[in-house]
Amino acid sequence: MSDPRGPREISLTVNGQGKTLRAYPMERLLDVLRQHLKLTGSKEGCGEGECGACAVIVDGALVNSCLVPVLQVQNSTIVTIEGMAQSSRLSPLQKSFLDCGGAQCGICTPGMILAAHHLLSRVPRPSPEEIREALAGNLCRCTGYAQICEGVANAANREVLG
Amino acid sequence: MRADPVDYELLAPGNLPDVLSLLAHEPETWLPIAGGTDLMVLYASGRLSQKKLVSLWNLPELRFIDVADDEIRIGAGCTYTDIRNHPTIVHEFSLLTTAARWTGSIANQNRGTLGGNIVNASPAADSLPALLIYEADLILVSARGERRVLYTTFHTGYKSSVLAPDELIRAICLPRHFANHISYSRKVGARNAQAISKVCLAALGKLDRDTVTDVRIAIGSVAPVPLRLRSTEDALKGKAIDSHAIATARSNAIAEIQPIDDIRSTAAYRAAVAGNLVVEFLNALRESITRP
Amino acid sequence: MTTEHIVGASVPRKEGGDKVTGRAQYIDDLTMPGMLYGATVRSRIPRGKIKKISFGTGISWDEFVIVSAKDIPGKNCIALILDDQPCLADGVVNHPEEPILLLAHPNPHILPKAVEAVAIEYEPLPALFTIEDSERQETIIWGADNTFKRYLVEKGDVDSIWQKAGFIVEAEYHTGAQEQLYIENNGVIASYDPNSGLTLWGSLQCPYYVHKALIKLCALPEDKVRVVQTETGGAFGGKEEYPSMIGGHAALLAMKAGRAVKIVYDRMEDMVATTKRHPSRTRHRTAVSSDGKILGGEIEFVVDGGAYSTLSSVVLSRGTIHAAGPYYWPNIRIRAKAVATNAPPHGAFRGFGAPQSLFAMERHMDRIAATVGLSPIEIRKRNFLKTGQTTATDQTINEPINLEKLLDRALELSDYHARKAHFRNENQSRTCKKGIGIATFLHGSGFTGSGERYLASVVGVEGLANGRVRVLVSSTEFGQGTKTVLCQIAAETLGLPYEQVEIAQADTDDVPNSGPTVASRTVMVVGKLVQSAASGVAQTLIAAGILRKEFSPKEFRDACSKYIAQHGQLKSLAQYEAPPNVYWDDEKYRGEAYAAYSWAVYIAEVSVDLAIYSVVVDDFVALQEVGKVLHPVLARGQITGGVAQGIGYTLYEKVVWQNGRMQNGQMTNYIMPTSADLPPIRVYFEELGNVHGAFGAKGIGELPMDGPAPAIVNAIADALGTPFDSIPLLPEDIFQTMESCSQSPEAPLTQGVR
């Protein structure tokens, strides 16, 4: 076994790209993304897994990256907000957020979009209740959620209609 | 972030035998961490005093769900999402799927594990009352072998248990004989989602006409450990479920619990609500008589 | 320009693309070369003398930059109004979490250990924690009498009305502290160079407030201090005055270190150490005629300002002026005071005193209704201000507002009468009691009285050589749509496409002082100046003979290009001028308090589950008259967001205090609503226009904060047949009240007939 102290080599796939970096095993995935990989789209709002501003998708599952030690995502596939748009084209979800007023100050928006994306990838036509439940782990202080939920429903319709 | 990652070690051997070997050879040194939804909060606030951790995350020997004829075995490393999505659990153990749905957010359900919830042993843990109701057995494992204990004997006091220093929970076994019970559960938290419970009740009942043949009531957040309300249950068994029995059950339940004042709620509120939830359960049970 | 195409349309948010892609750069996303990280050592006691400071073992202190009060080059204060708040405690502390020392180090991870290793010995002094403790004046903790400010508003002859009253209604109301809980914590980066001076970047609302504070603290000339606002993740008033403190700290460290310093709080530090909404106590004593008309009354309005005066005098001012609600008071006396306690100073939070006093007024109206035997609707209709009548401060309402009609519309939208009848029926047999409640209220836009004149805001609009137009304001974007709306206004004014207008970053080096981004003034006051300055650009080109009066965007572009080639720059400035015949007396607190008021009726439907004593808001109608809706999607977003915060204020958000310190400084324990907790919030607007505002707009940012608490508590009282006069109203509180009611059903809460 290698020396348990000191940084380790961590290999990840982030937004479709292979990355190798050195990090201490207990560095939070959030900090690794923001500081090592300069992917600052994921935010720290609370550091306790309550606000969802740090949410990313690991191996297909939405997680709060402030609660994940980076060693546990060795060889995992990660999607962050930076991976949501195809080059300069916004995803239907991102477009819907803009059209419906889902982003005000924007700080919750990356986590919120990933949570919505996570929902729509499992439930293409969610009910209003399903949308509210899916987003209940992402706190927004600006919008009161109405226009966010509408943005998600709107995106669902767009996706289905193509 | 008030912790320095440099001060901590985390090992991830990737298989159960190596983890157990580590726990055996270096006793009381390595703190197991599964999904991290409890420990990482402590860590980030600078209050995780144990500096050496060993990862249980995604160990195949711990993350499985086996369905046999008479029981279901849930690996301790199963997440709440694993539990919520399993058809047998959904159909036969609704108290557990409900509890899984209550726990944290979708993101935290994808990481929090049932084993972690049990070992962390918060009096407010959402899934523990359900395990008491279903009379779970736990399979504990160490380098020395396995043993099976009744879940009802697992917690010995606030944040203490029968788990030996070199042991882990490997699986939670639930007997498959609750499909025909009437179930009731209710969590009272500060809001509808992502809330630590103030009172959490899980219950099952079975009637023969209007007589109670089986009743199980478990409650969280009103004692140092989750409680089965045995006296309340005993007073109901074999009795007709009428207004008098229900009123008596309310007083018995309040007498059995030891709620406290804390940052989230008050003892008086918890006691009153616990009583009300027991009544709500028994009313639901009584109403099931009239339904075909 | 006869038809508006841009103003009134929901154009794309200017910075929206960056926000939905994660490209938007907030302060913690930024680093500077050689940057250090800063942390704050804070008081652990509420009040006392600092006897000794020791630096513990296990830390290489020589690696740290350490700043104390002695290092302050200028005046040790956070310049705001009274300058009584130190930047760093010097020998004495007056509240828990008061900053004492600053530490900086290249490695942010060792800072928490270093902070823990600083041991401070105190000699504790008696401390005060409640309004009652403070006003008893047995212990004096501030000034001569623990009182930051008093106001007295008098109209008519209050003392003569009591004998004529059919009813005298008296009660006391309380509101608790509330944490702004922006999802982005406070953060700044400071950088200092002896030649170019000090630069501060940060999450903030008012760059020029910070600028003013840094000049005084750091003893630097105006042109050697530069403040730049970075993308700000929510503010709600919590970043109005506080950034001067955290900015001052980073500046002091940067000046001593000779390197850039970043300070970003974590959630716990932000919650326990920074400002919150002022707790309040309001006492009403009202003389009402036998047919339900207010003859007059006395209102005592008190706010708890915490340990230093900061903005309390202004919060008190707004609360005082709004205390009388949207009603006609022929006689009134309002006595108001802001008192000191040993808690971290309370500060600006959306609504700024009005949510507190309006809660009391609207609860009191329902109480008056019950006493007199009229419905909550009828009591209001009999007392609403009408056009031509005067407010408590003797301001004549000139606009054609018809509150009776507004209320009728809200009643229709909420199906009030049918719902109420239905609930009366259903409640008899259910454990879940339903109720419906009304709040009618107003909110003044812009600074009070002479405030706007004093601010003398300046706005610039610049034409660029490529025909693009740039708006230059110190007004900041923090989600409410400043950038979008001010660009809409400029584009509409000039007849240019929205895409051709941009807005400069709020950088004090580049933009004039258009005043703070507060007080619901941005669209109304600053927007109007943007209109003027934009027109000014066109006028300049027309006067130069290179642009005709009716011009196309292309002609405009060509004219700009020509003008700049000749003159180098094309910039028009507009400065605020107070409207004539608008008069405010600061001594007597009388006159035109605000240039415009927005008016609203909110109706809440609730269910109270008596098994668990919790309240769910099932439906919410928010109807308001706002002059003009410049951007329907943004306007609606302001209302839904404000109502959500109001619901939090009422039912969920409780600050648990112990000896002046917040105990529940985590998002797990300080509860704001999630998406699963809120009802559909139905938003409706009316538009009466406003001569003082851009395109007829009035302010809307804070209005939605005033209505939810009283509407919801009125609904709860309706559901349970029991009054509740204090918020936050948690299930535990409802349980306790229901328990005491069932034990002593005759507890008198109202003095009825005299």
Side-chain angles (χ1 to χ4, degrees):
Chain A
M1 212 186 303
S2 54
D3 186 353
R5 292 155 303 187
R8 308 286 188 78
E9 191 170 277
I10 307 280
S11 297
L12 306 161
T13 304
V14 183
N15 298 327
Q17 289 190 332
K19 299 279 179 194
T20 306
L21 51 96
R22 292 186 68 73
Y24 285 87
M26 279 295 278
E27 280 185 60
R28 303 178 306 172
L29 174 58
L30 175 65
D31 297 321
V32 169
L33 291 170
R34 288 176 56 78
Q35 287 152 28
H36 293 253
L37 297 176
K38 310 291 183 221
L39 295 169
T40 56
S42 310
K43 309 296 181 193
E44 175 159 0
C46 72
E48 20 164 341
E50 285 287 317
C51 74
C54 68
V56 298
I57 297 179
V58 175
D59 296 329
L62 187 75
V63 302
N64 288 322
S65 63
C66 74
L67 297 183
V68 178
V70 73
L71 186 64
Q72 286 186 344
V73 293
Q74 182 75 271
N75 300 318
S76 287
T77 300
I78 300 179
V79 179
T80 71
I81 185 66
E82 290 89 347
M84 290 297 300
Q86 306 284 13
S87 62
S88 57
R89 282 189 63 232
L90 299 178
S91 70
L93 190 52
Q94 287 167 315
K95 272 199 221 99
S96 276
F97 259 68
L98 283 179
D99 292 342
C100 296
Q104 287 190 22
C105 82
I107 196 81
C108 78
T109 305
M112 199 65 84
I113 287 180
L114 285 166
H117 174 78
H118 186 254
L119 169 70
L120 295 179
S121 64
R122 283 160 175 69
V123 184
R125 294 295 292 273
S127 66
E129 293 72 36
E130 283 171 317
I131 295 175
R132 277 195 291 276
E133 192 205 348
L135 301 185
N138 293 76
L139 298 180
C140 173
R141 195 53 161 167
C142 295
T143 65
Y145 308 102
Q147 290 165 322
I148 291 177
C149 293
E150 283 162 22
V152 178
N154 186 267
N157 289 334
R158 277 186 190 175
E159 293 270 14
V160 167
L161 297 171
Chain B
M1 168 57 170
R2 301 187 183 195
D4 190 349
V6 160
D7 294 340
Y8 290 81
E9 294 175 42
L10 173 62
L11 297 179
N15 66 81
L16 187 60
D18 282 349
V19 172
L20 295 176
S21 173
L22 186 70
L23 294 178
H25 287 118
E26 297 182 54
E28 312 217 49
T29 305
W30 296 91
L31 178 67
I33 177 172
T37 54
D38 289 317
L39 291 177
M40 291 298 282
V41 177
L42 271 184
Y43 166 70
S45 66
R47 292 176 297 131
L48 185 60
S49 48
Q50 296 105 316
K51 299 292 197 284
K52 294 184 173 192
L53 299 108
V54 59
S55 177
L56 306 182
W57 175 249
N58 215 23
L59 287 180
E61 302 94 331
L62 298 182
R63 194 173 179 182
F64 64 90
I65 299 178
D66 286 342
V67 183
D69 286 338
D70 58 336
E71 78 173 11
I72 185 169
R73 280 194 192 187
I74 304 171
C78 283
T79 65
Y80 294 107
T81 303
D82 295 338
I83 289 167
R84 274 184 78 171
N85 290 332
H86 194 278
T88 311
I89 303 180
V90 168
H91 288 126
E92 297 178 31
F93 298 97
S94 63
L95 296 177
L96 195 53
T97 45
T98 304
R101 208 172 60 237
W102 284 335
T103 303
S105 56
I106 302 278
N108 289 346
Q109 288 167 23
N110 284 336
R111 289 278 298 178
T113 62
L114 188 55
N117 207 215
I118 297 170
V119 169
N120 188 55
S122 162
D126 294 329
S127 54
L128 305 190
L131 298 182
L132 285 176
I133 296 292
Y134 292 135
E135 271 161 21
D137 280 352
L138 303 182
I139 299 178
L140 309 180
V141 69
S142 70
R144 299 172 283 116
E146 282 191 358
R147 60 184 179 123
R148 188 159 165 144
V149 304
L150 298 169
Y151 175 61
T152 48
T153 65
F154 182 79
H155 300 291
T156 53
Y158 176 68
K159 299 262 177 179
S160 66
S161 73
V162 302
L163 205 62
D166 63 340
E167 260 180 332
L168 299 173
I169 302 177
R170 191 163 89 76
I172 297 92
C173 310
L174 306 179
R176 292 178 71 185
H177 49 239
F178 300 104
N180 295 320
H181 281 67
I182 290 162
S183 73
Y184 166 95
S185 58
R186 189 159 190 193
K187 168 175 170 170
V188 180
R191 59 189 174 194
N192 287 340
Q194 285 213 105
I196 297 179
S197 82
K198 301 179 184 182
V199 178
C200 182
L201 193 115
L204 288 179
K206 214 168 188 190
L207 298 168
D208 178 12
R209 272 185 282 201
D210 72 336
T211 305
V212 176
T213 54
D214 189 16
V215 66
R216 298 146 181 264
I217 306 174
I219 185 163
S221 299
V222 292
V225 296
L227 279 185
R228 272 285 288 273
L229 300 184
R230 302 276 186 195
S231 306
T232 309
E233 293 171 4
D234 289 342
L236 283 166
K237 279 196 200 124
K239 302 281 197 325
I241 185 160
D242 57 19
S243 317
H244 175 71
I246 293 177
T248 307
R250 180 209 288 275
S251 337
N252 285 343
I254 292 175
E256 276 196 81
I257 61 180
Q258 313 135 41
I260 58 171
D261 290 338
D262 66 13
I263 202 162
R264 278 180 284 279
S265 190
T266 63
Y269 172 82
R270 286 174 156 130
V273 169
N276 291 342
L277 295 189
V278 167
V279 168
E280 214 172 65
F281 160 58
L282 294 173
N283 280 332
L285 202 57
R286 186 161 64 160
E287 267 165 52
S288 71
I289 300 171
T290 53
R291 279 185 273 113
Chain C
M1 184 64 46
T2 45
T3 339
E4 289 149 8
H5 301 297
I6 303 168
V7 158
S10 293
V11 296
R13 180 180 276 273
K14 270 296 174 196
E15 76 292 353
D18 285 345
K19 285 175 172 172
V20 299
T21 54
R23 285 196 305 260
Q25 300 272 277
Y26 301 80
I27 193 65
D28 200 24
D29 301 331
L30 302 171
T31 54
M32 299 198 66
M35 188 173 82
L36 302 178
Y37 295 84
T40 313
V41 177
R42 298 178 177 278
S43 170
R44 296 199 184 177
I45 66 163
R47 181 168 178 250
K49 299 185 190 160
I50 297 172
K51 292 192 36 211
K52 185 165 159 210
I53 299 180
S54 333
F55 294 84
T57 55
I59 305 284
S60 312
W61 291 109
D62 56 338
E63 290 175 12
F64 286 77
V65 175
I66 301 175
V67 162
S68 72
K70 307 199 177 347
D71 294 300
I72 293 173
K75 186 168 175 215
N76 181 8
C77 78
I78 300 300
L80 190 56
I81 299 175
L82 289 187
D83 293 1
D84 61 317
Q85 183 182 31
C87 175
L88 290 172
D90 189 1
V92 158
V93 293
N94 286 298
H95 66 81
E97 308 301 317
E98 182 158 5
I100 300 172
L101 287 185
L102 305 169
L103 309 175
H105 194 279
N107 179 0
H109 289 124
I110 73 174
L111 281 169
K113 284 182 228 173
V115 169
E116 281 303 301
V118 177
I120 303 185
E121 274 174 47
Y122 305 94
E123 180 194 306
L125 291 170
L128 303 176
F129 304 117
T130 66
I131 288 174
E132 287 72 26
D133 286 342
S134 183
E135 62 187 356
R136 253 194 293 277
Q137 296 181 20
E138 283 161 7
T139 302
I140 302 295
I141 62 169
W142 193 92
D145 59 358
N146 294 339
T147 308
F148 295 125
K149 190 75 181 181
R150 291 179 208 276
Y151 294 114
L152 176 63
V153 172
E154 286 185 306
K155 179 190 185 195
D157 181 10
V158 168
D159 300 313
S160 68
I161 53 154
W162 306 108
Q163 307 149 349
K164 307 176 197 153
F167 301 92
I168 296 175
V169 185
E170 196 165 346
E172 183 173 301
Y173 305 93
H174 291 259
T175 65
Q178 186 187 16
E179 161 57 37
Q180 295 88 347
L181 213 64
Y182 27 74
I183 305 293
E184 184 212 14
N185 291 314
N186 272 283
V188 293
I189 298 175
S191 156
Y192 177 72
D193 170 274
N195 295 318
S196 48
L198 175 68
T199 307
L200 187 90
W201 294 267
S203 184
L204 47 92
Q205 291 174 235
C206 311
Y208 277 98
Y209 275 12
V210 183
H211 190 260
K212 165 183 148 173
L214 292 177
I215 286 168
K216 205 163 200 172
L217 180 74
C218 304
L220 289 169
E222 270 187 38
D223 61 345
K224 287 284 188 249
V225 174
R226 175 182 173 214
V227 179
V228 184
Q229 184 228 8
T230 49
E231 196 75 75
T232 297
F236 317 110
K239 295 171 182 171
E240 173 175 342
E241 75 273 36
Y242 195 78
S244 298
M245 175 69 79
I246 186 177
H249 291 167
L252 292 171
L253 284 170
M255 288 175 85
K256 189 162 185 183
R259 291 163 71 168
V261 174
K262 174 192 267 192
I263 302 180
V264 175
Y265 292 167
D266 67 14
R267 181 56 61 182
M268 179 161 287
E269 181 170 22
D270 198 297
M271 290 181 87
V272 303
T274 74
T275 64
K276 289 177 198 32
R277 187 184 295 287
H278 288 64
S280 77
R281 182 190 72 205
T282 310
R283 291 175 173 156
H284 272 265
R285 184 166 185 257
T286 319
V288 185
S289 72
S290 36
D291 65 341
K293 289 197 68 92
I294 293 173
L295 298 175
E298 292 190 299
I299 304 178
E300 187 208 56
F301 176 63
V302 186
V303 296
D304 172 355
Y308 299 107
S309 69
T310 60
L311 289 177
S312 292
S313 58
V314 200
V315 171
L316 186 70
S317 164
R318 185 171 279 271
T320 302
I321 294 168
H322 286 74
Y327 306 110
Y328 176 63
W329 292 74
N331 304 282
I332 193 169
R333 178 180 295 128
I334 308 175
R335 285 199 175 95
K337 62 185 179 185
V339 301
T341 61
N342 296 107
H346 297 299
F349 189 166
R350 197 174 192 174
F352 205 76
Q356 291 95 319
S357 65
L358 284 167
F359 170 72
M361 184 69 253
E362 284 305 282
R363 277 294 302 130
H364 199 61
M365 283 310 270
D366 267 29
R367 182 174 252 106
I368 293 173
T371 308
V372 172
L374 289 173
S375 74
I377 296 163
E378 197 51 45
I379 197 72
R380 287 171 170 82
K381 285 188 171 180
R382 291 190 187 185
N383 290 288
F384 276 145
L385 276 166
K386 295 185 172 55
T387 306
Q389 287 183 319
T390 55
T391 66
T393 66
D394 253 322
Q395 175 170 9
T396 305
I397 299 299
N398 289 316
E399 54 182 328
I401 183 64
N402 185 330
L403 290 170
E404 285 193 47
K405 269 185 68 187
L406 199 67
L407 176 52
D408 282 337
R409 185 174 170 210
L411 294 172
E412 199 186 303
L413 289 166
S414 60
D415 201 18
Y416 178 94
H417 295 289
R419 299 302 281 159
K420 194 156 169 125
H422 178 66
F423 299 158
R424 210 173 294 129
N425 216 6
E426 293 284 298
N427 284 350
Q428 290 168 29
S429 52
R430 299 263 175 102
T431 334
C432 204
K433 308 289 185 195
K434 299 197 62 146
I436 189 163
I438 299 169
T440 58
F441 55 102
L442 77 180
H443 200 92
S445 308
F447 263 47
T448 307
S450 38
E452 289 295 340
R453 184 183 287 116
Y454 175 72
L455 281 178
S457 299
V458 176
V459 159
V461 172
E462 202 173 1
L464 307 178
N466 58 8
R468 292 181 67 73
V469 165
R470 184 184 294 149
V471 176
L472 306 168
V473 291
S474 63
S475 308
T476 51
E477 172 69 59
F478 38 88
Q480 79 285 48
T482 302
K483 289 186 174 171
T484 303
V485 172
L486 295 183
C487 287
Q488 276 179 288
I489 289 171
E492 188 74 66
T493 303
L494 290 168
L496 297 175
Y498 171 69
E499 295 70 24
Q500 206 166 322
V501 181
E502 59 194 53
I503 180 163
Q505 187 173 24
D507 178 338
T508 55
D509 266 9
D510 296 337
V511 302
N513 188 351
S514 59
T517 320
V518 305
S520 307
R521 61 187 294 276
T522 301
V523 168
M524 187 178 88
V525 177
V526 180
K528 193 141 176 88
L529 293 173
V530 169
Q531 249 184 313
S532 302
S535 294
V537 170
Q539 295 311 318
T540 306
L541 296 171
I542 292 166
I546 51 176
L547 187 67
R548 55 197 185 106
K549 284 211 171 95
E550 302 284 323
F551 53 85
S552 71
K554 184 182 182 307
E555 286 166 349
F556 179 83
R557 189 186 70 218
D558 292 342
C560 284
S561 172
K562 214 179 273 178
Y563 189 92
I564 288 167
Q566 260 197 308
H567 300 268
Q569 190 189 51
L570 171 60
K571 192 196 283 195
S572 171
L573 296 177
Q575 179 154 45
Y576 177 81
E577 275 168 27
N581 309 323
V582 168
Y583 175 73
W584 173 256
D585 184 335
D586 257 320
E587 299 294 307
K588 298 208 183 76
Y589 243 60
R590 259 168 81 189
E592 268 82 24
Y594 299 98
Y597 291 92
S598 300
W599 309 86
V601 179
Y602 283 7
I603 299 186
E605 205 183 284
V606 304
S607 299
V608 187
D609 184 339
L610 286 180
I612 65 177
Y613 307 95
S614 64
V615 179
V616 173
V617 181
D618 295 311
D619 187 48
F620 199 98
V621 165
L623 168 65
Q624 46 263 304
E625 188 289 312
V626 298
K628 170 134 182 110
V629 175
L630 298 195
H631 188 300
V633 166
L634 286 183
R636 184 172 159 238
Q638 284 303 286
I639 305 303
T640 53
V643 169
Q645 284 183 333
I647 292 174
Y649 183 42
T650 314
L651 298 175
Y652 296 96
E653 297 179 43
K654 179 174 182 150
V655 177
V656 177
W657 295 104
Q658 190 179 83
N659 296 335
R661 189 182 184 278
M662 180 184 190
Q663 297 302 300
N664 54 334
Q666 295 166 281
M667 282 198 175
T668 335
N669 287 327
Y670 179 85
I671 305 294
M672 67 163 269
T674 68
S675 56
D677 296 298
L678 295 174
I681 299 168
R682 303 194 278 132
V683 179
Y684 307 91
F685 290 107
E686 293 201 359
E687 299 173 278
L688 284 182
N690 168 27
V691 298
H692 300 300
F695 293 97
K698 303 175 185 176
I700 65 168
E702 294 174 278
L703 177 77
M705 200 76 220
D706 299 332
I712 291 168
V713 179
N714 283 343
I716 296 170
D718 179 54
L720 300 181
T722 308
F724 292 90
D725 300 317
S726 186
I727 54 170
L729 187 54
L730 268 45
E732 287 78 0
D733 304 314
I734 294 178
F735 163 69
Q736 204 171 10
T737 303
M738 302 304 286
E739 279 292 280
S740 354
C741 279
S742 66
Q743 277 153 29
S744 56
E746 287 308 312
L749 286 154
T750 304
Q751 284 186 20
V753 185
R754 73 174 175 97

